Amino acid sequence: MSDDAWDVRPFEGLAGVVPGGLRLGERRSVLAARLADELGERLGERRTFRKAAWQTGLCDHYIEGGLILFFDDRDRLCYVELCEDAPVTYDGVWLLGRPYGEVVADLRSRGCRLVEGDVGCEAPDAGFNLTAVDPQDPARPVDCVGVFVNSPADGVVGMSDEEPVESVTEHRLVSMEGTEAVRLGQDRRELRGLLGPALQSRPDYGGETRDWYLEHGLVLTFDAADRLVSLVVHYAIRGGTAWFRGVQLLDRPYAEVVAELEAQGVRVEPAELGGRVPDHGFALYLRGLQNPSMPIAAVAFTDPLVAV
């Protein structure tokens, strides 16, 4: 990396190290080009992955630079993690690689409000959090800093109170719409009545609310009007399938699935960490490593369909 440090700018991103810094909301291609132009080989290898099967955005991990950049479903930067190889400051306080207790004391001495948690603390008014090896031991170092637009701590709300229903783990896809049971545009209350209790949360991006149906293998995202705008089918707790034209898509090697779809006359376009099925409105997701033997982790419909 550089001898200079990144400096946290609340809810804007990071300044320093490279001209223009890293601005939350910037496009992935723009940031990748800027980092490559300014830092070149000093930035090290970039590995792209999905944090979870249901994540519709990608993450770029710059190994030697100690940076992990998280992007939304439209390839805009929405979260940054900095590890020990990435020097970072806030209001003159060096945040990484120092004892957790010292960092917390320095921040509080500058009037920075901190909210303690199980794995560290958050500065909700400054747009960052600290993760420690062991926050109960103030001598252990801070090992990660997260910079956010929306606080991850606000994400999970809790379970809703609908009556449980039998698990649905076999999903049959409907072209451009979703599944036989769950369609883009449906009302959240209607789906609660159909699917039972959900783990409610606020998504990092892509909508106003999100419902996790863990038993069904569904993650649903809604807009401000409670209209379904994103539907992800993944391998559920008790297994799960997603069928399209007689082809089972989930937890099978990508190359096999693509070959069977194409034999059915279904066009699949290759994409980073997956493939698009543009004529039918869904995408096939891999967690990482664009490898034809990798199993498909999830199938996603979005409104409108965006890059995987």
Side-chain angles (χ1 to χ4, degrees), residues 170-217:
E170 182 174 295
H171 303 279
R172 298 191 178 276
L173 306 189
V174 177
S175 178
M176 306 304 295
E177 296 187 31
T179 73
E180 290 180 345
V182 180
R183 310 292 178 95
L184 294 174
Q186 273 188 286
D187 182 76
R188 191 183 190 195
R189 291 178 294 275
E190 176 187 355
L191 289 167
R192 288 280 184 85
L194 174 68
L195 299 172
L199 181 64
Q200 311 168 87
S201 69
R202 187 182 78 177
D204 296 334
Y205 57 82
E208 293 295 322
T209 54
R210 177 169 291 159
D211 284 350
W212 307 71
Y213 290 97
L214 303 178
E215 293 285 333
H216 305 321

Side-chain angles (χ1 to χ4, degrees), residues 109-140:
S109 72
R110 287 163 168 75
C112 183
R113 182 169 71 95
L114 299 176
V115 178
E116 300 278 355
D118 294 336
V119 295
C121 65
E122 181 176 288
D125 306 321
F128 71 90
N129 55 49
L130 306 177
T131 303
V133 174
D134 181 3
Q136 303 306 313
D137 181 353
R140 300 296 296 274

Side-chain angles (χ1 to χ4, degrees), residues 259-305:
E260 291 181 18
L261 287 173
E262 290 179 340
Q264 295 291 326
V266 178
R267 179 168 62 98
V268 181
E269 293 181 346
E272 195 171 8
L273 300 194
R276 301 185 188 91
V277 186
D279 301 328
H280 300 283
F282 64 88
L284 309 173
Y285 284 175
L286 303 177
R287 288 286 300 274
L289 297 176
Q290 188 69 26
N291 184 321
S293 65
M294 285 284 287
I296 293 172
V299 176
F301 288 85
T302 57
D303 182 17
L305 182 68

Side-chain angles (χ1 to χ4, degrees), residues 22-275:
L22 300 179
R23 294 190 297 275
L24 295 168
E26 277 198 285
R27 300 285 297 183
R28 181 172 175 239
S29 58
V30 173
L31 289 176
R34 182 186 305 147
L35 289 168
D37 288 345
E38 295 296 330
L39 299 176
E41 294 183 358
R42 289 178 293 166
L43 194 60
E45 179 188 0
R46 181 178 75 172
R47 295 181 183 173
T48 301
F49 65 98
R50 279 196 173 83
K51 191 170 184 181
W54 51 82
Q55 288 286 348
T56 53
L58 298 177
C59 305
D60 284 337
H61 186 186
Y62 292 92
I63 307 294
E64 294 178 22
L67 281 174
I68 305 178
L69 307 183
F70 294 73
F71 296 90
D72 68 12
D73 50 5
R74 288 167 175 79
D75 270 352
R76 300 167 299 192
L77 184 66
C78 61
Y79 187 72
V80 181
E81 285 185 358
L82 304 102
C83 304
E84 59 184 88
D85 293 322
V88 58
T89 67
Y90 173 71
D91 197 17
V93 177
W94 288 82
L95 302 178
L96 279 172
R98 299 176 55 216
Y100 177 74
E102 290 183 12
V103 175
V104 167
D106 286 348
L107 289 170
R108 285 183 168 147
S109 72
R110 287 163 168 75
C112 183
R113 182 169 71 95
L114 299 176
V115 178
E116 300 278 355
D118 294 336
V119 295
C121 65
E122 181 176 288
D125 306 321
F128 71 90
N129 55 49
L130 306 177
T131 303
V133 174
D134 181 3
Q136 303 306 313
D137 181 353
R140 300 296 296 274
V142 176
D143 63 351
C144 184
V145 176
V147 179
F148 53 77
V149 179
N150 297 324
S151 167
D154 292 339
V156 175
V157 177
M159 291 297 297
S160 62
D161 57 3
E162 289 79 15
E163 289 296 320
V165 302
E166 186 175 350
S167 295
V168 178
T169 56
E170 182 174 295
H171 303 279
R172 298 191 178 276
L173 306 189
V174 177
S175 178
M176 306 304 295
E177 296 187 31
T179 73
E180 290 180 345
V182 180
R183 310 292 178 95
L184 294 174
Q186 273 188 286
D187 182 76
R188 191 183 190 195
R189 291 178 294 275
E190 176 187 355
L191 289 167
R192 288 280 184 85
L194 174 68
L195 299 172
L199 181 64
Q200 311 168 87
S201 69
R202 187 182 78 177
D204 296 334
Y205 57 82
E208 293 295 322
T209 54
R210 177 169 291 159
D211 284 350
W212 307 71
Y213 290 97
L214 303 178
E215 293 285 333
H216 305 321
L218 294 173
V219 180
L220 310 181
T221 302
F222 300 86
D223 64 14
D226 276 348
R227 183 180 68 93
L228 182 64
V229 293
S230 175
L231 157 65
V232 179
V233 184
H234 65 95
Y235 199 70
I237 293 173
R238 299 176 182 174
T241 58
W243 295 86
F244 187 67
R245 295 196 177 178
V247 178
Q248 207 293 92
L249 307 177
L250 289 180
D251 201 39
R252 297 183 57 216
Y254 177 78
E256 289 184 14
V257 171
V258 170
E260 291 181 18
L261 287 173
E262 290 179 340
Q264 295 291 326
V266 178
R267 179 168 62 98
V268 181
E269 293 181 346
E272 195 171 8
L273 300 194

